[in-house]
């Protein structure tokens, strides 16, 4: 058997609560998706297991007209690739105000490459390095958003066939 199979199920929890007849409307949403032990089999041989999880909690608070992102988290294996939170005030008006933050981000690409190479027929491609997308803040109204960014890239390499691109170090602030 030359197929690729996943033997581990994903835990899935999704809550969507919307009452659009209420004045103002009520909205709550929560997602928890993933597994800490995903096992892939390639040609009936187990590959190293890994974790992949996504979670968010989003609520609309009608008394404050605020859309509140309590948490957005994406994890790959033991690395927290992204953690964000924030709110949008005056959410159902044309004068929305944003206050959003990415508070943590650490994306180590080597483990992804290892898995990709084992399950893909494209073994001529390689990517690795570390990318950090935090902190990032977005504040203000739509017509006057202020964004503060701190992005770091270290030992990034992308290679396909004979073409190689690398960034030893990049710091964007």
């Amino acid at each position: 058997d030359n197929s690729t199979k996943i033997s581990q199920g994903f835990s899935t929890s999704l809550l969507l609560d919307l009452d659009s007849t209420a004045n103002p409307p009520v909205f709550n949403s929560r997602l928890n998706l993933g597994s800490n032990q995903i096992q892939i089999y390639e040609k009936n041989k187990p590959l190293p297991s890994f974790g992949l999880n996504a979670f968010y909690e989003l609520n609309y608070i009608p008394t404050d007209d605020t859309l509140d992102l309590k948490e957005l988290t994406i994890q790959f294996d033991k690395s927290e690739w992204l953690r964000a939170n924030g709110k949008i005030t005056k959410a159902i008006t044309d004068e929305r105000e944003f206050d959003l933050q990415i508070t943590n981000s650490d994306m180590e690409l080597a483990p992804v490459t290892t898995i990709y190479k084992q399950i893909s027929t494209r073994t001529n491609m390689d990517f690795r390095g570390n990318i950090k997308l935090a902190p990032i803040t977005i504040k203000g109204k739509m017509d006057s958003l202020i964004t503060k960014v701190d992005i770091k890239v270290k030992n990034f390499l992308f290679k396909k066939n004979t073409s190689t691109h690398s960034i030893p170090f990049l710091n964007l602030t």
Side-chain angles (χ1 to χ4, degrees), residues 9-173:
F10 286 83
S11 65
T12 306
S13 168
L14 175 63
L15 167 72
L16 289 173
D17 179 16
L18 172 64
D19 184 355
S20 58
T21 61
N23 189 12
V26 174
F27 175 75
N28 299 296
S29 179
R30 186 177 313 131
L31 171 73
N32 191 355
L33 174 69
S35 173
N36 291 326
Q37 291 292 319
I38 299 171
Q39 182 67 66
I40 296 178
Y41 289 85
E42 178 70 19
K43 299 177 184 173
N44 283 330
K45 293 182 182 174
L47 303 180
S49 63
F50 62 94
L52 180 62
N53 292 283
F55 173 81
Y56 79 80
E57 184 174 352
L58 183 67
N59 299 297
Y60 176 68
I61 305 164
T63 55
D64 299 334
D65 189 18
T66 299
L67 188 61
D68 184 22
L69 176 62
K70 288 191 183 285
E71 181 180 350
L72 167 65
T73 304
I74 300 171
Q75 291 179 316
F76 180 83
D77 238 0
K78 294 180 174 85
S79 294
E80 189 168 71
W81 275 26
L82 184 76
R83 178 178 293 272
N85 61 44
K87 58 180 70 177
I88 301 172
T89 56
K90 302 178 187 172
I92 59 174
T93 72
D94 291 335
E95 299 295 318
R96 289 175 196 90
E97 293 185 26
F98 295 82
D99 185 5
L100 305 170
Q101 301 85 34
I102 296 177
T103 57
N104 192 33
S105 171
D106 190 1
M107 294 181 259
E108 187 61 50
L109 300 178
V112 179
T113 303
T114 302
I115 294 163
Y116 176 80
K117 283 182 165 185
Q118 292 176 347
I119 64 172
S120 175
T121 58
R122 298 179 184 169
T123 57
N124 60 347
M125 189 161 66
D126 188 14
F127 49 96
R128 60 184 97 140
N130 182 269
I131 301 171
K132 295 184 180 193
L133 303 175
I136 294 177
T137 60
I138 301 169
K139 291 187 178 197
K141 295 181 180 180
M142 279 300 289
D143 60 356
S144 59
L145 282 176
I146 297 171
T147 304
K148 294 181 181 177
V149 176
D150 189 3
I151 297 174
K152 291 180 176 71
V153 177
K154 186 175 178 185
N155 299 324
F156 180 79
L157 172 77
F158 178 79
K159 185 177 181 181
K160 184 172 182 184
N161 297 327
T162 59
S163 181
T164 301
H165 305 280
S166 69
I167 303 171
F169 184 76
L170 175 68
N171 189 6
L172 297 173
T173 56

